[in-house]
């Protein structure tokens, strides 16, 4: 019998499990350590730290958010989310900004799933976990930029750092427009959690 997966937020306490997953995959996306979409903060300059230390400092400052999917004590995937101030770097930013009429207070920028758990629904669990954590933080509109896959074309899941349009549609997001060659803009309003 398998242990059900549990969602936990990225915090100083869960950071070691997050780091173990990132290090298992050589820092993720060529050593990004899930920091590509972040910029400098008031207290931390990106260029002054290696990837793991930069991310750890952002977590300690409370400006790096993710829903982690745990299998027992091990993190097996995550979905990065946050405010546009926390995650200002997105692909096709000029094109996105030019067509944005109502900026959302939340954005989802990145997923990562352990290679031993891909194509088993972990990314969707992470997405649902992020939406639940956003609801706990007051909810609001969430925008994301998933890939739209050509029909019939199989793509390696390792290249789908922001998930797929189909996954977001199943989670209740609405398609708004295309940006770039294969990116979409999708949006959902998340009600605040009760209690």
């Amino acid at each position: 019998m398998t242990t059900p997966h549990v969602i936990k937020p990225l915090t100083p306490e869960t950071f070691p499990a997050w780091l173990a997953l990132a290090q298992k995959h050589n820092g993720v996306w060529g050593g990004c350590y899930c920091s590509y979409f972040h910029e400098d903060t008031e207290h931390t300059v990106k260029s002054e730290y290696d990837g793991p230390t930069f991310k750890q400092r952002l977590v300690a400052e409370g400006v790096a958010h993710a829903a982690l999917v745990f299998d027992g004590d091990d993190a097996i995937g995550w979905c990065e989310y946050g405010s546009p101030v926390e995650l200002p770097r997105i692909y096709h930013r000029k094109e996105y900004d030019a067509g944005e009429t109502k900026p959302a207070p939340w954005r989802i920028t990145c997923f990562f799933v352990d290679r031993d758990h891909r194509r088993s629904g972990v990314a969707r669990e992470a997405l649902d976990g992020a939406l639940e954590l956003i609801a706990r933080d007051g909810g609001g509109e969430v925008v994301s930029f998933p890939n739209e896959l050509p029909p019939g074309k199989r793509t390696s899941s390792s290249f789908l750092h922001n998930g797929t349009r189909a996954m977001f549609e199943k989670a209740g997001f609405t398609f708004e427009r295309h940006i770039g060659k294969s990116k979409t803009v999708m949006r959902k309003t998340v009600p605040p959690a009760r209690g």
Side-chain angles (χ1 to χ4, degrees):
M1 196 168 123
T2 58
T3 306
H5 297 156
V6 174
I7 302 294
K8 298 180 183 179
L10 178 59
T11 64
E13 292 73 33
T14 60
F15 181 82
W18 175 91
L19 182 60
L21 175 57
Q23 289 177 331
K24 175 181 176 181
H25 296 83
N26 300 314
V28 180
W29 315 127
C32 167
Y33 284 95
C34 206
S35 63
Y36 175 82
F37 299 102
H38 291 286
E39 288 288 357
D40 299 345
T41 70
E42 184 180 342
H43 306 288
T44 304
V45 177
K46 195 176 199 176
S47 62
E48 293 178 0
Y49 299 95
D50 63 13
T53 306
F54 176 69
K55 189 72 172 190
Q56 186 173 27
R57 289 180 62 88
L58 297 186
V59 171
E61 289 178 32
V63 294
H65 294 87
L68 304 181
V69 181
F70 275 82
D71 184 11
D73 293 333
D74 299 322
I76 60 169
W78 71 69
C79 172
E80 178 180 67
Y81 69 93
S83 72
V85 172
E86 290 176 29
L87 300 165
R89 295 186 69 191
I90 57 173
Y91 292 109
H92 312 292
R93 172 76 186 264
K94 287 183 181 178
E95 191 176 350
Y96 168 72
D97 285 347
E100 185 57 80
T101 57
K102 47 181 182 171
W106 298 101
R107 64 175 46 155
I108 292 173
T109 54
C110 176
F111 290 83
F112 187 77
V113 176
D114 185 319
R115 64 178 156 258
D116 299 328
H117 294 272
R118 290 182 184 152
R119 299 197 184 278
S120 64
V122 173
R124 176 60 196 272
E125 288 181 83
L127 174 57
D128 290 344
L131 296 175
E132 184 179 313
L133 293 172
I134 287 169
R136 285 190 214 163
D137 281 340
E141 280 195 322
V142 183
V143 70
S144 193
F145 318 97
N147 292 35
E148 183 162 46
L149 302 179
K153 183 179 179 187
R154 191 161 171 92
T155 303
S156 170
S157 56
S158 63
F159 291 105
L160 299 175
H161 76 275
N162 198 232
T164 64
R165 175 179 172 175
M167 180 178 74
F168 276 81
E169 285 175 338
K170 287 175 186 169
F173 281 74
T174 302
F175 169 81
E176 286 188 357
R177 59 192 162 106
H178 289 96
I179 53 174
K181 185 177 177 183
S182 64
K183 294 281 185 196
T184 62
V185 178
M186 300 191 73
R187 191 180 303 263
K188 177 177 181 167
T189 299
V190 175
R194 296 183 180 191

